[in-house]
Amino acid sequence: MIILITGASHTGKTLLAQRLLEKYSYPYLSIDHLKMGLIRSGNTDLTPEDDEALTRYLWPIVREIVKTAIENRQNLIVEGCYIPFCWRQDFDERYLPSIRFICLAMTGNYIENHFDEIIDHESEIEARLIGSDCTIADFVEDNERYINGFQNAGERIVMIDSDYDLAIRNLLM
């Protein structure tokens, strides 16, 4: 089984991947780690801010890792924001039954009511620093982009609207 986890920044993708690893003992691949390895090693001139270009650059690599894992009957959790809205078109009927897709998104209401909590938990699993200029509006816009993009592609989105912990627990069942 391959579990693909995507969503906007700060929605808990890495936390969910860690919890799934602990529950199922599946290894996981952080697309962010792959990104930084390629950037730091000089294998690309892209920067961490080049989101769209990074998706085009990283997705073909991640896609083929997923296919290889399925072909070898291996379990893997793949987590990151660099999964394109149209990801399904890259897999045929041999692969799709082996992929569980999860997109996490927060409603604008949730972000407005829990912004300080979201920021307080940003380094729950890995150390990161939020930009001092990041605003509630930025978070809402980023989440809306994921919601609209994946809904338009026909994907189901796990909407976090009131109880974050319950939403994550439900995914672990």
Side-chain angles (χ1 to χ4, degrees), residues 136-151:
I136 290 174
D138 294 332
F139 275 42
V140 169
E141 180 181 336
D142 193 30
N143 277 268
E144 286 178 354
R145 187 173 68 79
Y146 276 85
I147 293 166
N148 294 333
F150 282 111
Q151 280 182 340

Side-chain angles (χ1 to χ4, degrees), residues 6 8 10 18 22 44 53 55 69-70 72 80 82 85-86 96 106 108 111 122 126 149 154 161 163 169:
T6 194
H10 290 78
Q18 180 68 35
E22 292 166 0
T44 181
T55 298
I70 292 170
N72 288 300
Y82 303 104
F85 302 134
C86 60
L96 286 171
M106 296 173 175
I111 294 166
E122 73 175 351
E126 52 187 17
D161 186 42
D163 189 333
R169 276 195 312 271

Side-chain angles (χ1 to χ4, degrees), residues 23-159:
K23 180 173 182 169
Y24 296 110
S25 298
Y26 291 3
Y28 83 83
L29 168 67
S30 166
I31 302 173
D32 278 341
H33 292 173
L34 177 61
K35 167 190 76 177
M36 291 311 298
L38 291 164
I39 290 171
R40 288 179 173 175
S41 67
N43 281 288
T44 181
D45 292 329
L46 296 171
T47 71
E49 288 78 37
D50 297 325
D51 285 339
E52 289 182 35
L54 281 164
T55 298
R56 288 190 303 275
Y57 181 70
L58 294 169
W59 177 244
I61 298 165
V62 172
R63 176 192 67 217
E64 297 309 316
I65 290 170
V66 167
K67 287 180 180 178
T68 301
I70 292 170
E71 290 162 358
N72 288 300
R73 296 181 185 93
Q74 296 170 315
N75 299 312
L76 181 63
I77 301 162
V78 178
E79 165 277 306
C81 62
Y82 303 104
I83 298 173
F85 302 134
C86 60
W87 71 271
R88 278 186 194 273
Q89 74 185 24
D90 290 332
F91 299 97
D92 63 32
E93 66 280 348
R94 292 175 295 165
Y95 299 102
L96 286 171
S98 298
I99 301 172
R100 178 181 175 201
F101 176 77
I102 300 170
C103 177
L104 299 175
M106 296 173 175
T107 65
N109 183 56
Y110 183 86
I111 294 166
E112 289 172 16
N113 291 323
H114 299 273
F115 186 72
D116 290 337
E117 290 172 55
I118 294 166
I119 300 307
D120 286 346
H121 291 283
E122 73 175 351
S123 296
E124 191 84 12
I125 299 298
E126 52 187 17
R128 35 194 249 169
L129 299 172
I130 188 168
S132 59
D133 59 344
C134 192
T135 66
I136 290 174
D138 294 332
F139 275 42
V140 169
E141 180 181 336
D142 193 30
N143 277 268
E144 286 178 354
R145 187 173 68 79
Y146 276 85
I147 293 166
N148 294 333
F150 282 111
Q151 280 182 340
N152 288 339
E155 299 293 345
R156 186 176 83 76
I157 293 133
V158 176
M159 296 295 292

